[in-house]
Amino acid sequence: MSDTPELKYTPLEEISEIHATLRKSFKAGKLRSIEDRKTQILQLAYLIQDNYERFKASFASDLGRPTLETALQLDSTISDCKIAYDRVEKWARTEKAPFSMNFAALRPVIRKEPKGVVLSISPFNYPVWLALGPMIGAIAAGNCFVLKPSELSPATSGLLAELIPKYLDSDVVRVVLGAVPETTKLLELPWDHILYTGSGRVAKIVCAAAAQTLSPVSLELGGKSPVVIDPKCDLKTAAKRIMWGKCVNAGQTCVAPDYILVPEQSEQTVIDALKEAHKEFYPSAPDMSSDFSHIVNKSHFNRLKNLLDKTSGTIELGGQTDESKLFIAPTIVKGVKGGDSLMSEELFGPILPVVPVKDVDAAIEFINSNDHPLTLYVFSQDSAFKNKVFDNTQSGSAIANDTLLHCATDGLPFGGIGASGSGYHTRKYTFDMFTHLRSSIDSPSWLVIDMALGSRYPPYTVRTFFL
Ligand code: NAD
């Protein structure tokens, strides 16, 4: 673990000035042209490409992230830039309303307009993808954009704050560095949209502040994403995919499998398969492996250790911790019950509780007695089993036989429901989030229009037009 770099926070008095500068730019029509938006998006791709090695180092410093995981995040952000660059004309094109005999003469269209000056507050765990993904979509939609990256990933947030003014136009994109005071100051200002990605606890603070300025908010939150296992599934593959989803970034992924629901009689078989997958991934101990991240800071380390210390389940794998390295081993806990410490909050770490249930109906009941999760995973080869679970529950996404990959799948929206969030992002959906659909008609002054719609005018007589 390298030394944590000091972040130089943005002075509070500068925050209103930044907001005013961007407001002025927006009014002046900066980023109105698609070409200007594309230039900024291209610059963003160069920003990552030119500084690839520096990002690798910053990820290693913030989270001890393995090189391949970092590369995947950087490459998928570059790919998001390419997608937006190639498709922005299509996304931004004015749309004709569906044809209607009654209204066609009014030439109804939907104009895709930027919302204005928007704010994105991002978390520590995917410090490039979740900081720059919203930026790409917001710029593509023609907005001016303020990014408030996480203070918990100081190396990457500091690097973004250094590079963004070098690559992008500071009249349209700014970074505000800071923690609670700086974010509180930002939230006192009126925004044309706020995207908040983080925990439900802070989301309530964000929403309360946004209510004072009537700023619209999208929430990308987390929660406990369950895995329902059909014991007849391909257990070897399932175990590998579940363990991978749990071990990437040491479980600090919003859609990491949080816990497993399995019929009592198959609990040990599933645990044995998970242990086998773990042995394949980390033939020597994971703390010796360069393929396993550390916990972001002491406070999260202690939170997780505390939850583990209090569990009444049996540790079947792992359980080792080392505060000096912020290391928590991939840990499987057997026989966990609903009221256990490990079930009290989103784990956001490499601990995997296994909750035995009677059958699939009990699993569904268990899921429905908790908040709607961000993702619900089912491992089964049986369509009836999968459909039963999906049809009788609610969650942000419904994923069968894999983990995490839906976030990267082009064309799929990503978002929660209820306590796991509201609104959708990634690529076109991020563009949509930051776009105002402005209804427009251009009614001709032909006599025939007033004849057809004539009876709208007083004095009202008989109904002579049809709607
Ligand atoms: P967090 O809520 O602690 O912090 C997120 C952001 O909020 C940071 O920028 C932070 O500075 C700011 N913040 C913290 N306290 C604040 C306060 N009192 N007032 C105003 N702003 C404040 O979240 P985190 O620990 O960085 O990230 C983990 C959480 O994020 C998990 O719950 C995870 O599931 C969720 N998450 C969701 C998604 C998604 O797309 N749905 C993606 C990644 C993470």
Side-chain angles (χ1 to χ4, degrees):
M1 220 179 72
S2 16
D3 288 340
T4 310
E6 280 275 317
L7 257 194
K8 198 167 163 286
Y9 289 176
T10 306
L12 290 176
E13 61 280 9
E14 277 180 24
I15 290 176
S16 314
E17 282 167 36
I18 290 172
H19 182 264
T21 304
L22 296 197
R23 177 78 57 215
K24 209 166 137 204
S25 302
F26 183 72
K27 283 196 179 138
K30 288 239 176 184
L31 292 188
R32 194 168 291 159
S33 98
I34 300 284
E35 271 322 302
D36 289 346
R37 299 179 197 180
K38 287 176 83 168
T39 305
Q40 297 298 309
I41 292 167
L42 196 60
Q43 284 296 106
L44 210 40
Y46 286 134
L47 181 155
I48 303 168
Q49 200 169 290
D50 296 351
N51 298 282
Y52 210 87
E53 293 307 314
R54 292 188 70 194
F55 278 114
K56 277 191 190 165
S58 75
F59 275 51
S61 163
D62 288 333
L63 289 152
R65 286 209 73 172
T67 308
L68 181 75
E69 285 183 22
T70 305
L72 286 175
Q73 193 179 151
L74 297 176
D75 293 350
S76 63
T77 313
I78 293 175
S79 154
D80 285 358
C81 288
K82 283 188 187 143
I83 288 173
Y85 186 90
D86 289 342
R87 302 182 193 167
V88 59
E89 275 100 352
K90 190 166 169 231
W91 293 348
R93 203 172 288 152
T94 295
E95 254 176 45
K96 283 190 179 158
F99 180 78
S100 144
M101 181 69 103
N102 294 348
F103 295 103
L106 302 181
R107 296 176 287 206
V109 294
I110 305 161
R111 296 163 60 98
K112 311 280 185 69
E113 301 206 347
K115 288 195 167 176
V117 181
V118 302
L119 168 68
S120 173
I121 303 170
S122 60
F124 73 81
N125 60 331
Y126 286 75
V128 164
W129 193 59
L130 292 171
L132 301 190
M135 190 183 287
I136 298 163
I139 292 173
N143 298 275
C144 294
F145 186 88
V146 172
L147 167 69
K148 210 304 281 172
S150 176
E151 71 281 18
L152 302 190
S153 45
T156 310
S157 296
L159 186 56
L160 287 172
E162 177 203 319
L163 297 175
I164 284 172
K166 290 186 183 157
Y167 282 79
L168 278 90
D169 180 352
S170 294
D171 282 345
V172 294
V173 176
R174 290 291 186 95
V175 180
V176 168
L177 289 179
V180 176
E182 292 73 19
T183 318
T184 306
K185 183 80 195 161
L186 280 165
L187 290 169
E188 285 167 8
L189 299 164
W191 299 92
D192 298 307
H193 200 97
I194 299 171
L195 166 60
Y196 172 74
T197 309
S199 62
R201 182 186 67 80
V202 178
K204 291 178 188 163
I205 299 171
V206 171
C207 287
Q212 298 308 309
T213 55
L214 290 182
S215 303
V217 182
S218 296
L219 300 173
E220 296 293 343
L221 311 178
K224 293 182 85 62
S225 295
V227 182
V228 180
I229 297 191
D230 171 359
K232 296 195 287 284
C233 73
D234 172 358
L235 205 49
K236 191 167 188 283
T237 307
K240 276 178 96 160
R241 293 178 182 179
I242 295 165
M243 273 315 264
W244 173 69
K246 192 66 177 178
C247 290
V248 167
N249 205 17
Q252 299 164 108
T253 302
C254 56
V255 289
D258 191 277
Y259 64 96
I260 290 179
L261 291 163
V262 63
E264 286 137 353
Q265 63 276 18
S266 306
E267 187 183 14
Q268 194 58 50
T269 320
V270 168
I271 289 175
D272 290 343
L274 291 165
K275 283 178 168 173
E276 207 45 52
H278 173 269
K279 211 192 297 173
E280 261 186 58
F281 292 173
Y282 308 108
S284 53
D287 62 332
M288 308 292 287
S289 168
S290 56
D291 291 342
F292 193 71
S293 304
H294 64 67
I295 303 303
V296 68
N297 63 15
K298 270 200 180 131
S299 150
H300 278 286
F301 173 89
N302 288 329
R303 177 183 64 78
L304 286 161
K305 188 166 181 316
N306 194 30
L307 293 173
L308 197 54
D309 289 344
K310 285 192 191 147
T311 182
S312 49
T314 312
I315 294 181
E316 279 273 330
L317 174 82
Q320 302 87 346
T321 61
D322 180 345
E323 188 176 342
S324 68
K325 293 183 188 158
L326 297 176
F327 167 78
I328 296 183
T331 298
I332 298 172
V333 186
K334 184 182 172 183
V336 174
K337 303 223 164 52
D340 195 272
S341 58
L342 296 177
M343 298 307 290
S344 61
E345 60 183 61
E346 177 184 6
L347 289 171
F348 220 57
I351 304 170
L352 185 57
V354 181
V355 181
V357 286
K358 189 165 154 269
D359 52 22
V360 65
D361 294 303
I364 290 170
E365 204 179 313
F366 191 93
I367 294 163
N368 288 337
S369 65
N370 291 291
D371 286 337
H372 299 325
L374 187 56
T375 299
L376 170 55
Y377 296 108
V378 176
F379 283 84
S380 176
Q381 310 304 321
D382 175 357
S383 303
F385 187 100
K386 287 181 271 190
N387 289 336
K388 182 168 190 175
V389 177
F390 291 153
D391 291 350
N392 290 289
T393 52
Q394 285 180 280
S395 61
S397 321
I399 305 302
N401 298 315
D402 219 316
T403 60
L404 311 193
L405 296 184
H406 56 297
C407 306
T409 305
D410 188 19
L412 289 184
F414 182 60
I417 177 168
S420 55
S422 54
Y424 306 95
H425 71 138
T426 63
R427 299 164 278 272
K428 163 79 161 63
Y429 295 97
T430 314
F431 173 93
D432 290 343
M433 177 193 295
F434 292 117
T435 294
H436 173 56
L437 301 182
R438 195 173 183 197
S439 294
S440 187
I441 59 171
D442 181 3
S443 182
S445 51
W446 311 326
L447 192 57
V448 67
I449 296 282
D450 273 2
M451 278 167 64
L453 301 173
S455 64
R456 65 179 153 157
Y457 300 128
Y460 298 127
T461 53
V462 282
R463 191 170 186 269
T464 53
F465 65 99
F466 46 97
L467 286 178

